[in-house]
Amino acid sequence: MRTIIGVSSNLKEDLLSVPMSNVRAITKSGGVPIVLPNLVGDGIEEIAGVIDGLLLTGGGDIDPTLFGEEPLPGLGNIVPERDQFELALIQKMLELNKPILGICRGAQIMSIAMGGDMYQDIYSQKDASLLQHDQQAPNWHGSHFVQVTEGSLLREIVGVDKIKVNSYHHQALRNMPEGFMINGVASDGVIESFESTNHAFVMGVQWHPESLIANGDASSLAIFGAFMKACKK
Ligand code: MN
């Protein structure tokens, strides 16, 4: 039996969708992807039971009331069903200690699920002079650097102190939930990635390794490889 990875999807006007780059990243790493529904309140236990790991894909913004804030003017599109479905599934996966890789929005919702919080819009909320985190270059191109934390699982996986990543976010992680450590930071101080210190493999990255893989990016291949390996156990 090969490793089955649940791939989260978006919901817009009654249509489920997910960029194929996520699906291809799983097949390229030897797994069998299953695209997940955004069904609220039912089937969570069964889905978590069937999948060996969860890939939380990128997407729109997250409802700020989930972390105790009201919407600021810079907040974008919200999908309540997706938020609810993913929060419930994350809780269940963590209970089962099954691996999760969160990408961009996926990293953020994972942090929220565990009690962390985030910036709704870094450009209006952060006072430091910021890098361009919404790159105009193609998505397979790494546009800014991330300093990888010494002693982290991410450092072990990528094998270097500094990696180049793509960037498509105006929201960002703020306070880490308990039991999670920051493992990657941009030069402007924006938190780019984190990992659980209590679980086998639970990691979130603000960038899109599934797109960088198309350009043969070594660190992205290593991240997906390590994720798949953890899911196989
Ligand atoms: Mn970035």
Side-chain angles (χ1 to χ4, degrees), residues 133 144 166-167 169 192:
H133 286 280
H144 73 68
N166 54 10
S167 199
H169 57 113
E192 287 280 339

Side-chain angles (χ1 to χ4, degrees), residues 42-63:
D42 192 31
I44 294 294
E45 209 167 326
E46 288 82 355
I47 291 170
V50 165
I51 61 178
D52 299 306
L54 172 62
L55 178 65
L56 292 166
T57 60
D61 288 359
I62 294 168
D63 178 358

Side-chain angles (χ1 to χ4, degrees), residues 131-133 135 137-148 154 158-168 184-187 192-193 205-213 215-221 223:
L131 297 177
Q132 184 193 59
H133 286 280
Q135 73 184 47
N139 64 8
W140 45 260
H141 173 76
S143 65
H144 73 68
F145 291 103
V146 167
Q147 191 68 41
V148 181
L154 181 62
V158 299
V160 288
D161 292 332
K162 207 176 176 184
I163 57 176
K164 211 174 176 191
V165 304
N166 54 10
S167 199
Y168 290 96
V185 185
S187 63
E192 287 280 339
S193 55
V205 300
Q206 280 286 175
W207 64 93
H208 288 267
E210 83 283 10
S211 302
L212 292 170
I213 272 183
N215 204 27
D217 178 64
S219 62
S220 299
L221 286 164
I223 289 167

